[in-house]
């Protein structure tokens, strides 16, 4: 797709971790793009992520508070605005929450995606089926299930999800592909590995461990800590999505990954050592606690990103060893943000679900 002036992008879930980074990046680097951020502001969405920049970019940025499950509000939005691109991030995204309460994952991730596809298709048909319209569905490597010690997920690896979260994302991926094959909607699916960076909600491993070290709390490591994740700096993920929306081929899937595989215990130990240096302390590793494993815990994720590299020319720009330090610094310098997102619902959920988490050593 060629870049032309004045593209209007609908970003769903733009007040969450990756959506926030994506929108901030676009506003700063793509002067011809305007953005509508559509977000329900669940516990994971934070509108103040844009407080410092929304007035600077007020002609190119609009926030709409709404739920992707609500056909009426989505319909109204598509009546009001002519979008060239939809980038669909909105989802329930935390695996542990999908185990303690799966229903909202089906509602938002499956039904919500269906509503968005319907509204996009209706508008695309009304506009005469423009070939350069794009529906980018941001999905996860977790749809592929678990790897053993060797091998990588490719775009043709069969789907084999383990958690209610990954099953709901898998279902939504299938709907997106069905809307391309059946109705011709120019859609693309991206499947990405674990992200880290600024604005990530502190229920996920990296920010949770950083904050617990800061507060000298236990550091919960599931099982034996040997599960492996393939980490990608969020800015690299955002660049990859931009590359896909500018150069990607409709109907295709692109895997996105950082090639930075680490067992969880190594991540936790690294964060202990980095934080000890930053805070002029020692012995944070003594806070590590091996706790009961996550049910259905996938052993290893690893992405083969050669398709997006070879066909679209994207590669990660950031090295894990450097970007993880940036990330630690961001959390150390943004304790107000942390306090605001951890008040209320999050604290309540942690107390309800994790209070009986037993230590297994
Ligand atoms: P997040 O939980 O930080 O943010 C999700 C956002 O979606 C929040 O702003 C929330 O308010 C919004 N939202 C939730 N339900 C909604 C609804 N019904 N209607 C409208 N908005 C709603 O998630 P994230 O980590 O930024 O992930 C974004 C997307 O990327 C998800 O689809 C996720 O599956 C995918 N993904 C995430 C990662 C990762 O490592 N975080 C990796 C690969 C793919
Ligand atoms: O792979 C992409 C996925 O990465 C995304 O689709 C998800 O939205 C995102 O949440 C993430 O899923 P994970 O389950 O891999 O992320 P999480 O941060 O929850 O856990 C990372 C690893 O750390 C995992 O093996 C579980 C482990 N873990 C997690 C927590 C929260 C712990 O050992 N202790 C913890 O307290």
């Amino acid at each position: 797709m060629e870049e032309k002036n004045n593209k209007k992008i609908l970003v769903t879930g733009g007040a969450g971790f990756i959506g926030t980074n994506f929108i901030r990046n676009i506003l700063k680097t793509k002067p011809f793009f305007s953005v509508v951020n559509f977000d329900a502001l669940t516990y994971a969405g934070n509108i103040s992520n844009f407080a410092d920049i929304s007035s600077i970019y007020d002609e190119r940025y609009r926030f709409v508070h709404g739920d992707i499950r609500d056909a009426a509000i989505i319909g109204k939005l598509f009546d009001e605005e002519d979008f060239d691109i939809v980038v669909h991030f909105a989802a329930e995204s935390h695996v542990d929450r999908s185990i303690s309460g799966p229903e909202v994952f089906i509602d938002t991730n499956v039904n919500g995606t269906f509503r968005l596809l319907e509204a996009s298709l209706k508008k695309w048909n009304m506009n005469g089926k423009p070939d350069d319209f794009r529906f980018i569905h941001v999905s996860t490597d977790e749809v592929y299930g678990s790897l053993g010690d060797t091998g990588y997920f490719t775009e043709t690896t069969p789907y084999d999800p383990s958690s209610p979260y990954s099953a709901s994302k898998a279902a939504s991926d299938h709907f997106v592909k069905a809307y391309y094959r059946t109705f011709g909607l120019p859609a693309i699916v991206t499947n990405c590995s674990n992200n880290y960076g600024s604005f990530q909600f502190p229920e996920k491993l990296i920010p949770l461990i950083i904050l617990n070290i800061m507060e000298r709390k236990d550091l919960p490591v599931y099982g034996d800590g040997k599960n492996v994740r393939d980490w990608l700096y969020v800015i690299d993920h955002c660049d990859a999505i931009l590359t896909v929306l500018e150069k990607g081929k409709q109907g295709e899937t692109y895997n996105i990954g950082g090639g930075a595989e680490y067992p969880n215990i190594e991540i936790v130990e690294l964060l202990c050592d980095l934080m000890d240096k930053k805070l002029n302390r020692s012995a944070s590793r003594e806070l590590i606690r091996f706790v009961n494993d996550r049910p259905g815990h996938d052993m290893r994720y690893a992405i083969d990103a050669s398709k997006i590299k070879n066909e679209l020319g994207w590669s990660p720009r950031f090295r894990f060893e450097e970007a993880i330090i940036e990330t630690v610094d961001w959390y150390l310098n943004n304790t107000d943000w942390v306090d605001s997102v951890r008040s209320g619902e999050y604290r309540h959920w942690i107390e309800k679900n994790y209070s009986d988490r037993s230590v297994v050593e």
Side-chain angles (χ1 to χ4, degrees):
M1 193 169 65
E2 271 187 30
E3 188 157 343
K4 66 175 202 275
N5 287 353
N6 304 325
K7 288 224 175 274
K8 188 174 279 187
I9 309 188
L10 169 62
V11 177
T12 71
F17 163 47
I18 307 174
T20 292
N21 280 285
F22 182 75
I23 292 175
R24 291 177 68 94
N25 200 20
I26 282 213
L27 291 174
K28 285 180 191 159
T29 62
K30 296 277 170 186
F32 297 118
F33 281 26
S34 60
V35 178
V36 174
N37 176 3
F38 182 83
D39 198 298
L41 299 181
T42 68
Y43 78 95
N46 189 353
I47 194 56
S48 71
N49 293 353
F50 300 94
D52 59 329
I53 59 166
S54 50
S55 62
I56 305 174
Y57 297 110
D58 64 345
E59 283 179 8
R60 294 170 46 222
Y61 175 72
R62 176 185 172 204
F63 176 73
V64 177
H65 186 200
D67 194 313
I68 53 166
R69 294 169 290 183
D70 183 339
I73 196 167
I74 300 246
K76 186 164 172 284
L77 181 64
F78 276 80
D79 286 345
E80 282 170 14
E81 306 266 9
D82 248 335
F83 296 115
D84 302 291
I85 298 160
V86 175
V87 182
H88 178 34
F89 292 101
E92 289 293 333
S93 69
H94 191 40
V95 172
D96 291 336
R97 284 180 190 255
S98 83
I99 295 166
S100 57
E103 192 166 347
V104 69
F105 284 73
I106 297 157
D107 283 350
T108 286
N109 299 1
V110 186
N111 294 330
T113 300
F114 163 70
R115 294 283 169 222
L116 201 63
L117 284 167
E118 279 286 285
S120 303
L121 180 63
K122 188 172 161 207
K123 191 62 181 258
W124 181 68
N125 280 329
M126 268 173 54
N127 285 349
K129 306 188 177 189
D131 200 47
D132 60 353
F133 177 84
R134 286 290 180 274
F135 185 106
I136 311 291
H137 179 60
V138 181
S139 192
T140 171
D141 59 357
E142 301 203 9
V143 297
Y144 299 122
S146 186
L147 291 165
D149 289 343
T150 57
Y152 296 91
F153 296 134
T154 72
E155 288 78 1
T156 55
T157 301
Y159 275 32
D160 187 20
S162 303
S163 70
Y165 162 68
S166 50
S168 68
K169 290 297 290 188
S172 66
D173 293 9
H174 291 318
F175 272 100
V176 174
K177 285 178 191 170
Y179 270 62
Y180 168 71
R181 289 186 199 159
T182 307
F183 306 115
L185 184 73
I188 297 176
V189 176
T190 60
N191 295 93
C192 187
S193 63
N194 285 62
N195 285 212
Y196 64 98
S198 55
F199 297 103
Q200 186 167 33
F201 196 82
E203 64 190 349
K204 307 284 166 64
L205 181 72
I206 287 181
L208 176 85
I209 296 298
I210 294 172
L211 297 178
N212 281 13
I213 295 171
M214 212 189 291
E215 294 162 6
R216 287 220 171 278
K217 289 186 184 158
D218 286 356
L219 310 178
V221 175
Y222 296 166
D224 60 7
K226 291 188 179 145
N227 303 65
V228 171
R229 297 292 180 265
D230 174 355
W231 293 96
L232 181 70
Y233 193 42
V234 65
I235 302 298
D236 277 324
H237 187 190
C238 294
D239 285 348
I241 294 168
L242 260 178
T243 303
V244 166
L245 70 82
E246 288 174 347
K247 298 188 199 157
K249 229 176 110 200
Q250 49 179 284
E252 294 291 317
T253 291
Y254 296 94
N255 280 358
I256 303 168
E261 283 186 55
Y262 292 96
N264 295 332
I265 186 64
E266 283 184 25
I267 295 283
V268 174
E269 287 173 350
L270 172 77
L271 290 171
C272 287
D273 299 348
L274 280 176
M275 293 283 289
D276 280 350
K277 230 185 257 171
K278 296 263 173 204
L279 300 173
N280 210 9
R281 285 185 188 163
S282 61
S284 288
R285 285 184 184 214
E286 286 171 12
L287 298 168
I288 294 173
R289 301 284 177 272
F290 291 93
V291 299
N292 285 337
D293 209 353
R294 172 186 279 175
H297 195 178
D298 288 329
M299 193 58 215
R300 175 171 166 259
Y301 301 146
I303 284 277
D304 175 350
S306 50
K307 180 174 173 182
I308 186 170
K309 285 182 187 165
N310 297 337
E311 294 184 13
L312 308 187
W314 171 88
S315 292
R317 286 188 289 135
F318 294 91
R319 289 182 57 237
F320 179 81
E321 294 76 5
E322 284 153 9
I324 192 71
I325 296 173
E326 295 270 313
T327 304
V328 166
D329 287 341
W330 190 86
Y331 282 92
L332 287 171
N333 293 330
N334 286 278
T335 47
D336 287 353
W337 181 89
V338 171
D339 290 343
S340 74
V341 302
R342 286 205 306 190
S343 57
E345 195 278 345
Y346 172 66
R347 208 166 280 284
H348 177 68
W349 186 82
I350 288 284
E351 279 159 15
K352 186 160 161 267
N353 289 281
Y354 287 166
S355 57
D356 64 344
R357 182 150 66 172
S358 33
V359 175
V360 291
E361 50 181 355

